[in-house]
Amino acid sequence: MSEFHNLQELRRSASLANKVFIQRDYSEGTACRFQTKFPSELESRIERTLFEDTVKTLNTFYAEAEKIGGQSYLEGCLACATAYLIFLCMETRYEKVLKKIAKYIQEQNEKIYAPRGLLITDPIERGMRVIEVSIYEDRGSSGSSSGSSSVSVSTAR
Amino acid sequence: MKNCDYQQIDPKVVPTYASPSHIGTRGPRRVRRKWEVFPGKNRFYCGGRIMMAQQSGVLPLTLGLILVTTGLFFIFDCPFLVKHLSSCVPVIGAVLFVFVFITLLQTSFSDPGILPRATLEEAANVERQIDSSGNSSYRPPPRTKEVLINQQMVKLKYCFTCKMFRPPRTSHCSLCDNCVERFDHHCPWVGNCVGKRNYRFFYTFIVSLSFLTSFIFGCVSTHLAMSTTQQKHSFSYPHASFLWFRVMFELVICFFSVWSILGLSGFHTYLVASNMTTNEDIKGSWSGKSGDVATNPFSHRNVFVNCCSVLCAPLPPSLIDRRGILPVEEESAQMCHADIQLPANKNQRNMVGAPAHHPLCLKPHSKLKAELAAAASACLSVVKVWLSG
């Protein structure tokens, strides 16, 4: 298993081997939720509980952003009364939570994922469709087989 | 919209955006934004802040009708009604007009909830999953996926343009060439799609427009009735013909608008109360075909909760990040992707709009392509040097 101490070392000495995509979970509707099923490609790289915790926390953040309750009703009514002009002036609740999510993902990457040669991409950069987990190999030990896997991905099209 | 401090690390990427020694003798390059390489058929103005469909449809007509009718109302009917009825008349008219105008512009100029197309790796991953589902026949494998949503089976279709399985309630608009979340319909009157992000603006627009047209219709009828009874014996010919012409114009516009807009508002109120979209209603997605009792799995079974979830839910963010800065390697990837995947005439529509007379923020297509080609070749040479070093 590749070990890296931090993001800087990952950048210098690693090459991208593969990408794993965690899909959306639509069992409860169109609200943003990701599947917590542990992908087999990550079995040798990270503990199951750590990964599941990350996905569950992200799901909690998204549920908080999309929560329909007293506060959202009030905001909706106020917005309607102002012909929705407040959306141009104010940061919406969703945007505030997205910033928290970006911070959380950065923190997780620095503390947990980069030392294991993994990187999580913020779902907002993939249209909230997937959580993209990039798997890196140590450039010195990768060899031709894993280094060519990302090339074969793009040439297979 | 978002200020994500964390940048995805890809060791194969050149970390700097503008590097004169690599690009050539051109000097530091202008920062490019993602709207400039947006693959859908949309037009962008004001640096990507405003977006519309490729064809503005009858939006100028909509604006013209509203402005002319309201203008005539304020100029000719309001003074009479303020004198003979109440001074609230112009105030109410002004408030309704402001609502109508602002919500119309918001519906037309905002992102309806466009889903960005899948990245190359994502698309390849989906293809692998489809191929590995074990289809050995000569026909291509079925591009649908069944998911269970609130204990009901819903079929997700694969979008060949966007290279992904469409999320539930998402539909691909052929006019805009985008997948739109919670796609309602493409409205030519506002010149944009109506989807998850701008449905509330659209609904407020049609409701306030029905109030405005009813109000103007009522005021004009009142003015006509009052001025006919008051000036029965003193009609002079030039004034009478102009009065009748103007009144007829306003009445005809308002009469047809009232019935059609009121009808549309009523229909959309029904859709909001049952948490359905026009698209689903037309296709009969939840009408229970073949004897099955198919109900809407997205409905909360409560009219009030449905209304609140559609109109008062937190406004979702725009997923296409129009004003985001385009990393150098993505420019070359986008260009290659566009050249390989799309036919030649599509590349022309790849940019903000081919006709040269479109206002603001446009760039000649050939110059941009040349810049992208130069950037791509410079980028590749740097990456080769770095990997070998």
Side-chain angles (χ1 to χ4, degrees), chain B residues 179-193:
Chain B
C179 270
V180 177
E181 280 193 290
R182 205 185 181 276
F183 180 74
D184 195 85
H185 67 286
H186 182 100
C187 185
W189 294 95
V190 305
N192 201 3
C193 288

Side-chain angles (χ1 to χ4, degrees), chain B residues 254-267:
Chain B
C254 288
F255 181 77
F256 285 111
S257 307
V258 164
W259 290 113
S260 53
I261 302 289
L262 262 180
L264 190 65
S265 305
F267 174 63

Side-chain angles (χ1 to χ4, degrees), chain B residues 236-388:
Chain B
S236 56
Y237 179 72
H239 293 106
S241 69
F242 178 66
L243 172 73
W244 278 106
F245 169 76
R246 184 180 53 75
V247 160
M248 280 295 114
F249 175 78
E250 284 183 71
L251 280 179
V252 161
I253 298 289
C254 288
F255 181 77
F256 285 111
S257 307
V258 164
W259 290 113
S260 53
I261 302 289
L262 262 180
L264 190 65
S265 305
F267 174 63
H268 277 278
T269 307
Y270 157 71
L271 290 180
V272 165
S274 52
N275 202 334
M276 259 202 319
T277 63
T278 307
N279 196 40
E280 286 163 357
D281 188 66
I282 286 174
K283 287 185 179 165
S285 309
W286 320 121
S287 63
K289 289 173 274 201
S290 69
D292 293 336
V293 180
T295 54
N296 183 0
F298 307 106
S299 169
H300 296 99
R301 313 274 181 264
N302 178 315
V303 165
F304 181 68
V305 177
N306 278 340
C307 291
C308 288
S309 72
V310 174
L311 301 173
C312 295
L315 187 69
S318 174
L319 298 174
I320 52 176
D321 189 25
R322 316 188 277 280
R323 303 241 335 129
I325 295 181
L326 200 62
V328 173
E329 82 291 354
E330 268 196 39
E331 285 186 50
S332 53
Q334 286 278 355
M335 197 196 68
C336 294
H337 190 61
D339 284 341
I340 292 163
Q341 299 293 333
L342 306 173
N345 58 354
K346 199 132 191 256
N347 271 336
Q348 291 214 327
R349 291 194 293 273
N350 206 20
M351 307 318 296
V352 293
H357 62 268
H358 275 287
L360 302 177
C361 321
L362 296 186
K363 203 174 171 75
H365 175 66
S366 54
K367 190 175 167 198
L368 186 64
K369 265 209 107 161
E371 275 187 346
L372 285 174
S377 53
C379 190
L380 281 169
S381 58
V382 168
V383 168
K384 276 180 196 158
V385 165
W386 191 27
L387 282 176
S388 61

